[in-house]
Amino acid sequence: MGPKTPPAATDHDLFRLELVNLIDARHELVRLAELIDWSVFEREFGGQFVSTTGRPALPTRLVAGLLYLKHTFALSDEDVVERWVENPYWQHFCGERYFRHELPCDPSSLVRWRQRIGEAGVEWLLTQTIEAARAGGVLKRVSLSTIVLDTTVQEKAIAHPTDSRLLNRAREQLVEAAQDCGIVLRQSYARVGPAAEHQAGRYAHARQYRRMHKQLRKLRTWLGRVIRDVDRKAPREIPEALLARLATARRLYAQRRDSKNKLYALHAPEVECIAKGKARTPYEFGVKVSVAVTAREGIVVGMRSMPGNPYDGHTVDSALEQVQVLTETTPAIVLADRGYKGVVPACGARLLLSHTRKLPAKLKRLLRRRQVVEPMIGHMKTDGLLGRNWLKGEMGDAIHAVLCGAGHNLRMILAYLRVLLVAFVGWLVAASSIEATAAPGAVAVQN
């Protein structure tokens, strides 16, 4: 059933104090709530609810506000609903009229809402942050003509992949699935499997690689024996759970060092190994994400996951297409690093690469703004949630990337509003002090 409609503003509760009379109207969250057009979410998300029966869904402003707060302050689903109860400004931001003492929803409701609206729905959340930045004076209209493109890695929430752990866990999961189907296995290797896994780790730490590989061969052999035993004893109609575990085990059993499309996590087969040339992290496990920010302010105007670890230049058209959809503007100049060499954007924008020689002085100064994207990515990973993605599947990667961009924009707007408030208060204090010092002199002249 469709979302709940908020109660009419004409209804008053004599025994409760309204939030507008409790909070400071100059607070940055109050002013940010006024910049966002919340009616867009009711219009765009309402089409996701085709059924007219059942329990009404949560209000769209409440869900959109919780998703905004989650990625603005880098919280989990559980933490954001718990802190929402304690903070009257958060409740006002989400459209509440009176202070509430109970949780707004179960944390799992945010999971279902993300799955329902999908990547197209969260792009509307990013679009409204861009419009709010424009309405608040953070983003100038002319800034959309020059953007900066770059790619980064959105790491998945997985343990560091090792052959010993993957082989042993695949065997354990296959044995468990077979036993759930009533298959009696010849041997499960439940005792020697974990011991071999731990021993392989000890040998690797001691740099005794020949002994380590011997333990890995044992683990691979035991996994192959369990696979063949399940194949022999499985019923004609294999259950889906067992079939999925069997396919994963076969893929891992056939995997070698020089194999393509390796499996790095049993619960997240979409994870890829990406090398970005960093000394501190030579390899990162996740998905490549394209980031587009304005060259002047650093506002995110496009963010999209790129599964398959494509060449950076091959992501240009997809990234610029998203920028055009979200901002309704075609960039004239695109700044990028040398990783985008040899590409001509299909939209007609001019692509300027780092270290390009024989440029006019104006374009040279403009090209220096390419570095603005680097600290923005760093802030999204340290102050936001881009550093670790807990959402499931490729759709989770896409949704999480867009929401991280929306959270970054809101942090930029809040910082701008906070500075304006401090400047306004400072101006009032200075004006009052000037009046206080001028008052005695005026009285003396009159006397």
Side-chain angles (χ1 to χ4, degrees), residues 251 254-264 271:
R251 177 181 173 184
Q255 181 172 293
R256 294 297 184 268
R257 182 175 181 176
D258 56 347
S259 300
K260 302 295 182 181
N261 301 321
K262 289 185 180 180
L263 183 65
Y264 298 101
V271 171

Side-chain angles (χ1 to χ4, degrees), residues 16-256:
R16 290 193 296 176
L17 184 65
E18 293 187 5
L19 285 175
V20 293
N21 300 323
L22 179 65
I23 60 180
D24 185 4
R26 298 175 299 176
H27 193 272
E28 55 265 19
L29 271 177
V30 178
R31 300 172 64 188
L32 176 60
E34 298 173 354
L35 297 176
I36 299 176
D37 185 7
W38 301 99
S39 61
V40 172
F41 306 127
E42 298 181 7
R43 182 179 70 250
E44 298 299 330
F45 296 167
Q48 304 291 333
F49 299 89
V50 295
S51 176
T52 57
T53 59
R55 180 181 178 181
L58 295 172
T60 54
R61 178 169 178 177
L62 173 63
V63 177
L66 288 175
L67 291 176
Y68 275 148
L69 294 171
K70 167 186 169 66
H71 285 269
T72 302
F73 299 99
L75 301 172
S76 63
D77 292 342
E78 292 79 7
D79 291 339
V80 71
V81 297
E82 290 176 0
R83 288 184 57 179
W84 186 90
V85 181
E86 305 169 357
N87 199 321
Y89 290 98
W90 285 23
Q91 296 192 17
H92 174 77
F93 181 77
C94 294
E96 293 296 328
R97 189 177 178 188
Y98 300 100
F99 189 82
R100 290 176 56 180
H101 299 273
E102 67 277 359
L103 296 178
C105 62
D106 191 86
S108 60
S109 297
L110 298 180
V111 179
R112 288 189 287 271
W113 266 86
R114 283 192 296 261
Q115 294 174 348
R116 181 181 289 269
I117 63 179
E119 184 180 6
V122 295
E123 282 184 348
W124 279 106
L125 294 172
L126 179 57
T127 301
Q128 291 309 305
T129 62
I130 300 173
E131 295 298 327
R134 187 183 301 172
V138 184
L139 177 65
K140 306 299 181 183
R141 180 75 180 183
V142 68
S143 300
L144 296 175
S145 61
T146 305
I147 66 170
V148 183
L149 282 183
D150 200 2
T151 58
T152 186
V153 179
Q154 178 180 257
E155 293 191 67
K156 200 79 166 182
I158 64 171
H160 186 78
T162 60
D163 289 338
S164 58
R165 186 177 184 276
L166 288 173
L167 291 170
N168 187 50
R169 286 296 299 153
R171 180 197 54 79
E172 291 177 347
Q173 293 180 5
L174 182 58
V175 169
E176 183 180 357
Q179 291 175 350
D180 291 341
C181 296
I183 299 176
V184 180
L185 298 175
R186 174 176 172 270
Q187 191 173 355
S188 64
Y189 305 96
R191 181 179 60 84
V192 296
E197 176 191 348
H198 298 158
Q199 194 63 38
R202 297 188 187 100
Y203 286 145
H205 181 71
R207 297 180 181 274
Q208 299 178 7
Y209 298 117
R210 185 172 297 177
R211 293 179 175 178
M212 180 196 71
H213 286 297
K214 183 178 180 181
Q215 299 298 323
L216 293 180
R217 286 194 297 270
K218 287 183 180 180
L219 289 169
R220 193 180 302 276
T221 300
W222 295 336
L223 176 61
R225 290 178 182 177
V226 174
I227 292 174
R228 291 188 292 272
D229 198 7
V230 171
D231 286 335
R232 287 191 299 267
K233 299 178 181 179
R236 186 181 299 273
E237 297 293 334
I238 302 178
E240 291 187 5
L242 179 59
L243 196 61
R245 295 298 185 189
L246 197 57
T248 302
R250 286 171 178 164
R251 177 181 173 184
L252 188 62
Y253 179 75
Q255 181 172 293
R256 294 297 184 268

Side-chain angles (χ1 to χ4, degrees), residues 152-155 278 284 376-388 411:
T152 186
V153 179
Q154 178 180 257
E155 293 191 67
K278 302 176 184 177
E284 296 173 287
M376 299 305 155
I377 293 175
H379 282 298
M380 281 189 277
K381 290 192 175 184
T382 55
D383 302 336
L385 297 175
L386 188 62
R388 199 161 182 85
R411 285 191 297 271

